[in-house]
Amino acid sequence: MWFRGQDTAFQRGMCCLMRLYVSNVRSEDDIKNFIIDNTEVVSSQSLTPEISLRLFTPTCRFWTEKPELWPFPDPYWAIYWPGGQALARYLLNNPEVCGGRKVLDLGCGCGASAIAARLSGASHVVANDIDPIAAIATKMNCELNNVDHLPCVTDNMIGLKPEAWDLILLGDMFYDEGLADHLHKWLQTCISTHGTQVLIGDPGRAQFESHDIRKLLHQLAYFELPDTVKEENYGLTSSTVWCYKYKPNL
């Protein structure tokens, strides 16, 4: 699988250009069928076995297929990244964190954190990812978990005037230093403007551990990763949930 591994261009976020869709994939139904044909429903071997997701597995064609044959943007949504797993696990273990709150899952990928927030009693959840295929995959994963379709926004929200979110979730978003800088600035605006709580799930990537943002976070939870997740993430053995310590003067 061409984008597996901590040192690949895919995981570092270097492959960000959108590929043109193949000519025979036009409608949302076509894309759904493509996802069904090229993923597998997985409900175990993660930190949240109660959540089912359509993901790449070794039995899927594109686990070993040539990358140039993939017709969409790079499929971050087809992997259940370890930071997202920790974040979803924390929400399910602590439903009071989401209960009755307005929640944004930023860079939602497969939508697991958004689904966990909804299952934990959030009153309103929005899943955001700039990849339109991720939005469709998130809708499909909602169906797998008997969750009503969540609003899926594909605008790049980072840098925009923030809405009054009670809680923002970020799983595995600090994989690139430039992106981390933009995120840090925007998140502080969200906190200072609306008092938003920010939770971050990360397995200890170098770009996160070395960033100034780490000085403003405190640890909420620590999870040892399942063996299969360790194998798929080349040296990552655990994942942590962090919260901003920054308190705005509202």
Side-chain angles (χ1 to χ4, degrees):
M1 188 170 146
W2 76 91
F3 51 84
R4 293 175 72 224
Q6 196 170 12
D7 294 326
T8 63
F10 169 80
Q11 192 163 352
R12 294 197 306 271
M14 299 301 291
C15 297
C16 59
L17 294 177
M18 307 288 274
R19 296 193 182 101
L20 293 176
Y21 298 161
V22 288
S23 59
N24 64 335
V25 178
R26 296 186 178 90
S27 70
E28 183 168 321
D29 285 340
D30 289 331
I31 296 171
K32 285 181 177 180
N33 288 332
F34 185 90
I35 291 173
I36 290 170
D37 290 342
N38 291 283
T39 59
E40 183 178 7
V41 176
V42 179
S43 58
S44 61
Q45 302 178 348
S46 76
L47 288 175
T48 58
E50 59 268 71
I51 294 180
S52 298
L53 301 167
R54 288 197 170 275
L55 305 172
F56 282 159
T57 72
T59 65
C60 298
R61 171 190 170 192
F62 282 96
W63 190 267
T64 55
E65 188 59 271
K66 295 178 180 179
E68 58 266 24
L69 296 180
W70 180 256
F72 303 119
D74 291 316
Y76 289 88
W77 55 266
I79 302 295
Y80 193 9
W81 301 99
Q85 290 193 32
L87 195 55
R89 182 71 271 160
Y90 178 76
L91 297 179
L92 292 171
N93 287 354
N94 302 275
E96 70 279 2
V97 173
C98 287
R101 305 182 81 188
K102 182 180 178 182
V103 179
L104 171 66
D105 182 7
L106 188 70
C108 66
C110 65
S113 294
I115 291 169
R118 193 69 189 91
L119 292 174
S120 300
S123 60
H124 181 63
V125 181
V126 171
N128 169 243
D129 200 295
I130 60 172
D131 182 358
I133 311 302
I136 294 173
T138 294
K139 293 176 184 177
M140 297 174 71
N141 288 330
C142 285
E143 293 173 359
L144 284 178
N145 294 278
N146 297 314
V147 171
D148 291 340
H149 282 182
L150 304 173
C152 294
V153 178
T154 56
D155 296 331
N156 185 356
M157 302 180 72
I158 301 170
L160 297 180
K161 182 179 180 180
E163 297 183 32
W165 304 104
D166 297 314
L167 176 65
I168 295 178
L169 309 172
L170 302 97
D172 299 276
M173 285 289 285
F174 290 85
Y175 53 79
D176 176 81
E177 185 175 355
L179 175 60
D181 290 341
H182 288 303
L183 272 173
H184 184 27
K185 182 177 180 180
W186 186 72
L187 291 172
Q188 286 194 308
T189 299
C190 295
I191 296 169
S192 62
T193 304
H194 300 294
T196 302
Q197 182 181 14
V198 176
L199 299 185
I200 297 169
D202 192 272
R205 290 189 176 84
Q207 297 90 336
F208 175 72
E209 293 295 333
S210 62
H211 198 276
D212 288 344
I213 194 175
R214 277 286 283 105
K215 301 174 184 177
L216 296 174
L217 303 177
H218 71 272
Q219 181 177 312
L220 293 179
Y222 172 93
F223 299 97
E224 186 77 14
L225 296 171
D227 289 340
T228 53
V229 180
K230 292 179 184 177
E231 293 171 4
E232 293 173 1
N233 286 275
Y234 294 92
L236 299 177
T237 60
S238 62
S239 195
T240 303
V241 177
W242 303 89
C243 181
Y244 263 87
K245 291 183 291 188
Y246 176 65
K247 299 293 184 182
N249 295 318
L250 297 178

